[in-house]
Structure formats: C-alpha cells, structure tokens
Amino acid sequence: MHYLSTRGGIAPVGFTDAVMMGLATDGGLLVPADIPQIDTGTLRAWSGLRFQELALEVMTPFVGEEIPRADLRALIDASYATFSHPEVTPVVEADGVRILELFHGPTAAFKDVALQFLGNLFESLLARDGGSLNIVGATSGDTGSAAIYGVRGKQRIQIFILHPKGRVSPIQERQMTTVLDANVHNLAVRGTFDDAQNIVKALFNDLPFKSAYRLGAVNSINWARILAQTVYYFYAWGRISGGDPARRVSFAVPTGNFGDVFAGYLAKRMGLPIDRLIIATNRNDILTRFVHTGAYAVGDEVYQTLSPAMDIQIASNFERYLYFLHDGDTARIRALLADLQATGRLEIEPERQARVRSDFDAVAVSDPETLEQIRATHAASGYILCPHTAVGVRAAGDRDGVVCLATAHPAKFNEAVTAAIGREAAAPPSLRGLMEKEVRCAELEATVGAVKSHLEVTLGALAGGDA
Ligand SMILES: *Cc1c(COP(=O)(O)O)cnc(C)c1O
C-alpha cells in the first residue's frame, strides 16, 4: 500500500514512512492511494472475530508487507492488553440505545484505542530502523494523557507535553503529571491552550530545530490513529449484525477534529454496511453547518462547552474527507484550502454537497440539551453518559438502530455529570487515587524561547548520558 498527500506534493511513501512523517512534508495529510475493498464473505467471517484478531485483519491491507504479520499481531496484542474490558470496545445497551464503549483504556477516553497502538508502533519501528523520536505536543485535556500513556517507559522515545497551567481539569492534569517514567516530560506553561499550541507549531515550523532534535507529533493527523479507530466500527457491526451483510448500521459520532468520524467513513468506503454516519457537534458547529450548507466557514470564536474535547474551530482531519470527496483531485484541494486561508471559508459545488449529504447527517447539540440527555438516559436506565457521548446520543435522536460512540468515561467529566443528575459517576480504577500520588512537572513561561531551551537542555543531558 502506498500513501499520498492530500495536496499532491510528495512522492508515494509506504506505511512506515507515512507513520513516521505524521504530517506530509508538503503540509497536507497522508492518505492511502486506494481503499481496500472488503467483500461480504470476508465481512461475514470477520464478524465472529475477537477485537485483536479483527484489528489484525483490518490493518493488514494498509500496512502491506512492511511489518511481518506475526510482529503486527504482537503489536496489537500488547496495545490492547492495557484495556480493562475483555472485549476492548464492548457494545452495551442503555434506554434502548446501543453504546459502543471506547473508554476502557488506561486514561478512560477513546484516544487510548489509537495511542496505545501508535506508541507500540513507534517503538517497534525505531527498534527496527534505528534512531530515536522526541514527541512534542500541546493538550487541552485528553490527548496529552493518552499520548503519555502510549509511550511511557518506551525505549528511544521521549515525550514532552505542554499544557496550559491551571487550565486543564484537576483530574486531567494529574493523569499526566503523576506519570513518573524518565521519558515523560510534563511542561505547564503560564498561558492558554492556544499559547501552548502556537509554541508547538513554531517548533515544528523551525525545520532545522525539528530535524536536529528529531521532533515527532502524535496529534490526530497521524494515519495510524485513523487506522486503529476504523477497527471498532467493524467490531460493533459484527456484534450487532451477526455477520448478515444486509444488516446496515448507523453510527452517531461526537466530533471535534473529524478523526473518529473519518475512521467511520473509511470503514464505509471499505464496504462495511453503514447506513448513516451522524456527525454530532456541540455549539462549535462548523462541521454541522458544512453538511447542511456545503460551506465550511470559520466562526468568530471557539466557545467553551461542557464537551471540551470538541471545542474546536478547524477540524484537522477534514482535509482527508475533502480529498476523497473530490476523488483525489489535489489541485482542487489546494484551491479550496487557499480560499479557506484567505477568507476563512471554502465552499463545494452543489453536486458534491449531495454526496456529503449521502455520507453524513449532522446535528449540533447545546449545553442544556447535553445535560438533559445525561439526565434522561440516567433516569430511564441508570446509565451515565459523559457529556461528549451525550452529544452523540442526543444527535441520534429517535432514529432506530444507531450505535452511539461513547468517547470518555463519565467520571472524567464529573462537573457536568453532577450538574445533570446531582451526583458524580464512580471512578474506574485508573482514575482513583490520582490526587494523592506524587507528581513531576516543570513550569515555564509561555514563550517559544523558554520551551526551546528546556528541550535543548533536557535532550542535551540525555545525549550526554549516553556517551
Ligand atoms: C478527542 C475527543 C473527541 C473528538 O474526537 P475527534 O476525533 O477529534 O473528532 C470526542 N470526545 C472525547 C472524549 C475526546 O477526547
């Protein structure tokens, strides 16, 4: 399998290079040159597989010959051994709604499904090809801890995660700063999330620094993350359909950066019998407006909502969808992105919009509606939704046969839960005792210079230690 850039500016690369590159060198996103087609006989056979076996089958055509099957199997087994549920991503039912629980990993959010795999994949590729990787990222909450848990204790990898000091929830902060492995470096910067994000962007744009210090990214644009997330769409379909290819299933997907829902789109393009993919957004509704109007228009500001992981203006994976919507016409993608850059807006042709509407439904859900959904589901079934999941359940409405993706454990967002039902959700073991544990974190000014010299000093000391 070869990978191309959505912007058409790179020679085709294999899976390993696509993973290590993260963002394509022309600024675009990496996409597979073609989408493997899964026939109905294969679907039927896959429907009985355990999650790990299914992951091996779904990933194999995308990985190609680059990783031997036994090695890929070992990577997958190691990645999902850290999950607390034997099914990894079980489907449960609450108040007549099917819930695909994606939060049984070490940090209790769905990002573990992809980042546990990506961490092991990085480690194995570095062990095989040599070299080392220094991951740098900014987080407003969930991604940082999932990335840290993905690579903690791993050889040849250091991870530096910037978070805005005092502006992530106490649980989220502790999930990061209580990880004491020597390769984990938490940096609290005295500024906002945007400051932290801009510092990271500046470091990656400093190409000499980036290559001298072998900086790598773990944000949701890495192809391996999409690939790992595609697996649970197949898994949920198998549990529900019993392998009957005539059985179509719809999914409601709480959406921020369009990574999760793009994975669902990929599954559909591979031949999984998906009826509707419902994009569920909060008040930050750029994607919902796009589906309804064909115009992707950046609003004035990012609103803070009860579902903070979806408080996003520009969905970083959206470019991948644009690429497939335009049948790989990279010149057209470049023109659309230039419009977006210049005017904050891009618009697709009406005949394309008809295709968008056949691919997706989209619903924006307000904070009061989110709380009302948590309350209603709890009253009817005793099941507690996290606010992101509640956005998806609300968006599904009374449509039949929808699987709602549960993207976080409710105990991570107990403020919203308490506002809805008057009490907290009980924490799973991974979230217990965090406030009592030892922490390690450096505090820095929110400037590129401060972070750069911190990286230089830390990595310089490590290199010295090796000599
Ligand atoms: C990241 C995240 C989302 C949004 O996922 P995208 O892939 O960015 O669309 C939704 N819910 C939770 C809890 C998350 O952490």
Side-chain angles (χ1 to χ4, degrees):
M1 174 70 77
H2 284 103
Y3 291 82
L4 311 169
S5 165
T6 48
R7 299 187 189 177
I10 67 164
V13 295
F15 177 75
T16 306
D17 287 335
V19 169
M20 296 313 285
M21 209 183 268
L23 192 67
T25 45
D26 66 351
L29 303 190
L30 291 152
V31 284
D34 40 50
I35 297 178
Q37 296 302 303
I38 310 305
D39 62 34
T40 55
T42 307
L43 276 175
R44 196 175 286 122
W46 285 5
S47 71
L49 298 180
R50 290 170 62 233
F51 183 93
Q52 290 86 336
E53 291 166 346
L54 179 63
L56 181 63
E57 299 304 335
V58 172
M59 290 181 186
T60 291
F62 290 96
V63 175
E65 310 279 281
E66 290 196 8
I67 302 177
R69 191 171 163 88
D71 294 359
L72 185 58
R73 182 193 295 276
L75 273 178
I76 290 167
D77 284 347
S79 301
Y80 300 110
T82 55
F83 278 60
S84 63
H85 197 286
E87 275 197 75
V88 185
T89 63
V91 181
V92 304
E93 209 172 306
D95 189 22
V97 177
R98 290 199 177 87
I99 311 267
L100 173 58
E101 291 188 340
L102 303 174
F103 52 71
H104 295 285
T107 73
F110 91 98
K111 292 188 171 69
D112 288 328
V113 178
L115 285 167
Q116 285 288 303
F117 176 69
L118 184 61
N120 286 311
L121 182 61
F122 276 150
E123 182 184 45
S124 121
L125 296 177
L126 291 168
R128 185 188 74 188
D129 301 338
S132 61
L133 186 66
N134 298 308
I135 293 166
V136 181
T139 188
S140 59
D142 280 344
T143 307
S145 60
I148 286 171
Y149 272 81
V151 303
R152 64 183 296 182
K154 296 216 180 302
Q155 301 289 314
R156 300 169 180 271
I157 300 175
Q158 303 289 320
I159 183 165
F160 296 83
I161 295 291
L162 283 65
H163 70 265
K165 181 177 160 54
R167 293 178 198 242
V168 299
S169 82
I171 286 218
Q172 288 175 324
E173 183 184 324
R174 291 293 169 130
Q175 280 188 295
M176 297 189 280
T177 58
T178 57
V179 180
L180 302 179
D181 299 76
N183 71 330
V184 173
H185 311 274
N186 279 290
L187 310 180
V189 297
R190 298 186 201 101
T192 63
F193 170 64
D194 284 336
D195 294 334
Q197 176 109 302
N198 287 333
I199 292 169
V200 171
K201 279 190 194 149
L203 296 176
F204 279 92
N205 284 333
D206 183 344
L207 295 180
F209 185 80
K210 182 183 175 200
S211 75
Y213 285 93
R214 290 184 296 271
L215 300 193
V218 282
N219 47 18
S220 69
I221 47 93
N222 197 300
W223 178 256
R225 286 185 63 174
I226 301 289
L227 185 54
Q229 292 173 195
T230 302
V231 176
Y232 49 69
Y233 287 92
F234 281 90
Y235 187 75
W237 179 81
R239 296 277 82 62
I240 289 163
S241 68
D244 174 4
R247 183 78 162 77
R248 300 171 77 76
V249 173
S250 296
F251 290 89
V253 190
T255 304
N257 266 322
F258 206 79
D260 211 357
V261 72
F262 183 80
Y265 173 75
L266 180 67
K268 187 173 182 180
R269 290 287 305 260
M270 290 169 74
L272 187 69
I274 292 178
D275 183 14
R276 312 294 300 163
L277 284 165
I278 303 162
I279 294 173
T281 59
N282 60 28
R283 189 179 174 197
N284 299 291
D285 62 350
I286 183 167
L287 289 163
T288 296
R289 285 184 281 117
F290 169 74
V291 172
H292 294 166
T293 67
Y296 186 79
V298 180
D300 299 332
E301 60 179 306
V302 183
Y303 300 106
Q304 275 196 11
T305 73
L306 295 172
S307 42
M310 293 149 58
D311 293 347
I312 284 165
Q313 276 267 35
I314 299 263
S316 55
N317 270 289
F318 183 65
E319 188 172 329
R320 285 198 164 106
Y321 175 63
L322 278 183
Y323 173 90
F324 286 106
L325 179 64
H326 292 84
D327 305 309
D329 180 351
T330 53
R332 183 79 194 121
I333 302 305
R334 287 196 302 274
L336 287 169
L337 294 173
D339 286 348
L340 183 64
Q341 184 77 30
T343 66
R345 189 173 191 283
L346 67 80
E347 188 158 358
I348 57 170
E349 301 104 354
E351 62 274 20
R352 304 269 176 211
Q353 203 200 333
R355 265 171 77 180
V356 175
R357 284 174 161 280
S358 73
D359 290 331
F360 301 106
D361 286 347
V363 180
V365 175
S366 68
D367 274 353
E369 289 169 326
T370 304
L371 290 177
E372 170 52 25
Q373 187 63 56
I374 297 174
R375 197 202 58 72
T377 302
H378 181 254
S381 66
Y383 191 89
I384 304 178
L385 303 168
C386 99
H388 308 81
T389 309
V391 167
V393 172
R394 182 73 175 203
D398 44 22
R399 292 181 181 83
D400 273 340
V402 179
V403 175
C404 297
L405 273 59
T407 52
H409 192 286
K412 276 193 99 163
F413 298 95
N414 261 328
E415 258 177 62
V417 169
T418 306
I421 65 170
R423 69 170 180 85
E424 297 195 337
S430 64
L431 298 181
R432 283 183 218 146
L434 284 176
M435 302 316 274
E436 288 79 53
K437 285 189 180 160
E438 187 185 340
V439 299
R440 192 159 55 78
C441 184
E443 195 180 315
L444 297 176
E445 286 305 318
T447 65
V448 178
V451 174
K452 211 167 164 178
S453 56
H454 185 89
L455 292 178
E456 282 164 352
V457 169
T458 309
L459 293 172
L462 286 168
D466 282 354

